[in-house]
């Protein structure tokens, strides 16, 4: 396994795990660091050297892919050889891991949504937005179980998801619809008593407190689902379609749809026995509060995850820092020319645009290579381009003609 341009620790461990499943299988793993600028990190170097049935060979000069493979063939103790690039297995495994991770977090988000909705909102007859809220309005007015109307409405909207968002998005949406329908059916049965009454976990008169807690749960759960390339269906499909083509936040789209759903609840409660007009208005006001809290939570979590920062790094070891960031983080680095006012010396400045959650890794790399480096970190409103957000603006023919 040549280590050029890629990290191979995960690959080595994967090979050992597969070999361990074969009894009496004799093998040896040769790892060669061919002297390229993107050397293994100290941690990877130490870890690979300590693994059983693994030999780590370090060369000072980079002689190229073919030459390093010939060298490994000469060093091998067994007649049968298998040459593997250090990114081959990782690339396959990473795709599988990403899909498994997406479905895991989508399921976690759906469970959190079900908990917040059925435990805190449904027993107090609090109206919320989305197809779930519409299903709740239907339930309050007709008694039709929420999971049934939720499922039917989403089936109608699936055609839109397939045409606009693609098959991959639809697969996760179908999974989310079936899973949430199942969870809602299960949870509604749990919170419903033997005589049809629902358990109010916070007690009577705690409508607003229950509203706040429930909407924090549902808003967070929607963010978890969206951040992992999923959807709970319904209004989320509409929001995802609009967000795909326009630079409008998911929260704003959902707010518009939710206003229509919450507003419709006024007519349901007004005509319901035991309710007066003021009670119906109160339910609508509570519904507007759910929209505000839920979507504020959604936008906060989404924006926190997508927040970007800009680094300016001043160091004499700029080349080493740039190499480390470019290879270990697979990140682009721009080198700018700088001129010191006081010293009059010419120097290089590294400019890096990164996600905020990558900041700690960048600081760690800089500190290991040059503890005396001067680093400036600043927040940016938005970063658009490869590796970041897409520029979601419409380009008309007249716009192109004006530039020509």
């Amino acid at each position: 396994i040549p280590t050029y341009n890629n990290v191979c620790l995960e690959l080595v461990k994967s090979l050992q795990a597969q070999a361990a499943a074969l009894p009496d299988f004799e093998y040896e793993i040769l790892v060669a660091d061919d002297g390229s600028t993107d050397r293994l990190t100290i941690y990877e170097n130490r870890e690979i050297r300590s693994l059983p049935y693994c030999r780590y060979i370090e060369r000072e000069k980079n002689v190229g892919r073919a030459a390093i493979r010939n060298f490994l063939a000469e060093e091998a103790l067994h007649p049968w050889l298998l040459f593997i690039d250090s990114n081959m297995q990782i690339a396959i495994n990473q795709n599988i891991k990403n899909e498994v991770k997406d479905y895991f977090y989508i399921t976690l988000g759906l469970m959190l949504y079900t908990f917040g909705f059925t435990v805190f909102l449904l027993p107090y007859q609090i109206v919320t937005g989305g197809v779930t809220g519409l299903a709740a309005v239907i339930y309050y007015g007709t008694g039709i179980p929420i999971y049934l109307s939720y499922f039917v409405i989403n089936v109608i909207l699936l055609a839109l998801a397939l045409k606009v968002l693609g098959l991959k998005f639809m697969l996760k949406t179908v999974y989310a619809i079936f899973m949430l329908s199942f969870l809602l059916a299960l949870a509604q049965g749990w919170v419903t008593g033997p005589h049809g009454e629902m358990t109010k976990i916070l007690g009577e008169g705690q409508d607003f407190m229950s509203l706040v807690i429930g909407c924090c749960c549902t808003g967070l759960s929607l963010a978890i689902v969206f951040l992992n390339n999923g959807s709970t269906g319904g209004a989320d499909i509409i929001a995802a379609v609009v967000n795909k083509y326009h630079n409008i936040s998911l929260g704003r789209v959902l707010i518009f749809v939710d206003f229509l759903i919450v507003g419709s609840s006024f007519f349901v409660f007004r005509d319901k026995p035991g309710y007066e007009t003021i009670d119906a208005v109160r339910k609508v006001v509570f519904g507007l509060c759910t929209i505000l809290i839920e979507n504020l939570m959604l936008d906060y979590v989404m924006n926190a995850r997508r927040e970007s920062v800009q680094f300016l790094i001043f160091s004499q070891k700029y080349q080493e820092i740039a190499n480390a960031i470019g290879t270990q983080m697979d990140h682009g680095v721009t080198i700018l020319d700088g001129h010191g006012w006081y010293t009059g010396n010419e120097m290089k400045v590294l400019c890096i645009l990164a996600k905020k959650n990558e900041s700690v890794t960048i600081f760690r790399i800089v500190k290991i290579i040059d503890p005396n480096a001067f680093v400036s970190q600043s927040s940016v409103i938005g970063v658009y381009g490869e590796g970041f957000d897409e520029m979601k603006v419409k380009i008309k023919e007249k716009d192109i003609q004006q530039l020509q």
Side-chain angles (χ1 to χ4, degrees):
I1 306 172
T3 64
Y4 48 83
N5 301 326
N6 288 287
V7 178
C8 66
L9 177 59
E10 184 177 353
L11 171 58
V12 173
K13 289 184 176 180
S14 173
L15 292 174
Q16 289 194 322
Q18 296 175 59
L22 302 175
D24 302 325
F25 179 71
E26 295 185 359
Y27 71 96
E28 178 188 37
I29 300 176
L30 297 181
V31 179
D33 189 334
D34 68 341
S36 58
T37 56
D38 54 340
R39 311 297 288 269
L40 293 178
T41 64
I42 297 175
Y43 167 75
E44 293 162 347
N45 192 316
R46 184 175 63 249
E47 282 290 302
I48 291 178
R49 290 178 184 273
S50 65
L51 293 174
Y53 306 105
C54 183
R55 275 202 292 154
Y56 183 84
I57 303 172
E58 192 170 5
R59 294 172 61 88
E60 294 298 328
K61 185 178 180 181
N62 187 343
V63 293
R65 179 181 302 184
I68 194 65
R69 284 180 172 173
N70 290 335
F71 173 77
L72 290 173
E74 294 175 356
E75 290 288 323
L77 301 177
H78 294 271
W80 296 98
L81 306 177
L82 173 63
F83 292 100
I84 304 177
D85 285 344
S86 58
N87 68 329
M88 290 174 63
Q89 188 69 25
I90 291 177
I92 299 173
N93 284 346
Q94 196 61 43
N95 290 334
I96 298 175
K97 286 181 179 179
N98 288 340
E99 287 298 310
V100 172
K101 185 192 75 171
D102 283 350
Y103 278 97
F104 172 78
Y105 281 107
I106 289 172
T107 305
L108 183 65
L110 295 176
M111 293 174 67
L112 179 60
Y113 187 93
T114 303
F115 172 76
F117 182 79
T118 56
V119 173
F120 294 103
L121 301 181
L122 194 59
Y124 292 89
Q125 292 194 336
I126 297 174
V127 181
T128 185
V131 171
T132 312
L134 181 59
V137 171
I138 296 174
Y139 169 71
Y140 298 147
T142 64
I144 297 176
I146 290 178
Y147 74 91
L148 186 59
S149 52
Y150 169 84
F151 180 78
V152 172
I153 295 171
N154 274 291
V155 168
I156 298 173
L157 290 171
L158 280 178
L160 180 64
L162 176 61
K163 182 177 180 180
V164 178
L165 300 177
L167 180 61
K168 185 176 180 181
F169 183 92
M170 184 178 174
L171 289 175
K172 292 181 179 178
T173 303
V174 170
Y175 168 78
I177 289 173
F178 275 95
M179 178 59 69
L180 188 55
S181 298
F182 169 75
L183 292 173
L184 286 173
L186 203 62
Q188 188 174 358
W190 285 344
V191 299
T192 304
H195 302 293
E197 77 284 358
M198 289 194 168
T199 304
K200 297 182 178 180
I201 191 171
L202 298 182
E204 294 290 342
Q206 299 296 327
D207 297 43
F208 190 76
M209 179 62 71
S210 187
L211 180 152
V212 172
I213 298 174
C215 289
C216 285
C217 292
T218 56
L220 175 60
S221 65
L222 289 175
I224 293 174
V225 172
F226 270 114
L227 286 172
N228 290 278
N229 306 309
S231 164
T232 57
D236 293 350
I237 295 177
I238 301 174
V241 169
V242 175
N243 183 257
K244 181 179 178 68
Y245 297 106
H246 302 280
N247 193 21
I248 303 176
S249 70
L250 298 172
R252 289 183 180 179
V253 179
L254 290 174
I255 284 177
F256 178 77
V257 176
D258 292 347
F259 265 118
L260 298 178
I261 295 173
V262 171
S264 67
S265 68
F266 171 80
F267 304 100
V268 173
F269 286 106
R270 185 192 62 179
D271 299 332
K272 196 172 183 180
Y275 279 80
E276 299 180 0
T277 302
I278 188 64
D279 297 321
V281 173
R282 181 171 172 267
K283 290 294 184 182
V284 172
V285 172
F286 268 49
L288 296 177
C289 291
T290 65
I291 293 176
L292 178 64
I293 297 173
E294 185 175 270
N295 288 286
L296 282 176
M297 176 65 74
L298 170 63
D299 273 355
Y300 176 80
V301 177
M302 292 285 291
N303 292 333
R305 178 71 177 270
R306 297 164 63 180
E307 189 175 352
S308 300
V309 293
Q310 176 180 275
F311 283 91
L312 293 177
I313 303 174
F314 303 79
S315 172
Q316 296 296 331
K317 299 181 180 180
Y318 68 93
Q319 190 64 56
E320 297 176 44
I321 296 174
N323 289 341
I325 293 175
T327 56
Q328 295 185 27
M329 300 182 64
D330 193 22
H331 217 299
V333 181
T334 301
I335 301 179
L336 307 176
D337 292 320
H339 182 87
W341 168 78
Y342 181 76
T343 62
N345 295 332
E346 302 288 340
M347 68 179 308
K348 300 295 183 180
V349 181
L350 301 182
C351 179
I352 304 165
L353 291 170
K355 299 291 186 182
K356 188 174 182 179
N357 56 15
E358 297 174 317
S359 299
V360 175
T361 305
I362 293 176
F363 276 118
R364 184 180 293 115
I365 290 174
V366 174
K367 188 172 183 179
I368 291 174
I369 297 176
D370 185 4
N372 297 320
F374 181 81
V375 181
S376 169
Q377 180 189 18
S378 58
S379 297
V380 294
I381 296 177
V383 180
Y384 304 94
E386 185 177 355
F388 293 90
D389 294 334
E390 180 185 354
M391 291 181 284
K392 297 172 183 177
V393 293
K394 284 187 175 180
I395 300 177
K396 300 180 180 179
E397 187 66 30
K398 64 177 183 179
D399 298 326
I400 300 176
Q401 293 175 356
Q402 288 177 355
L403 295 176
Q404 292 177 346

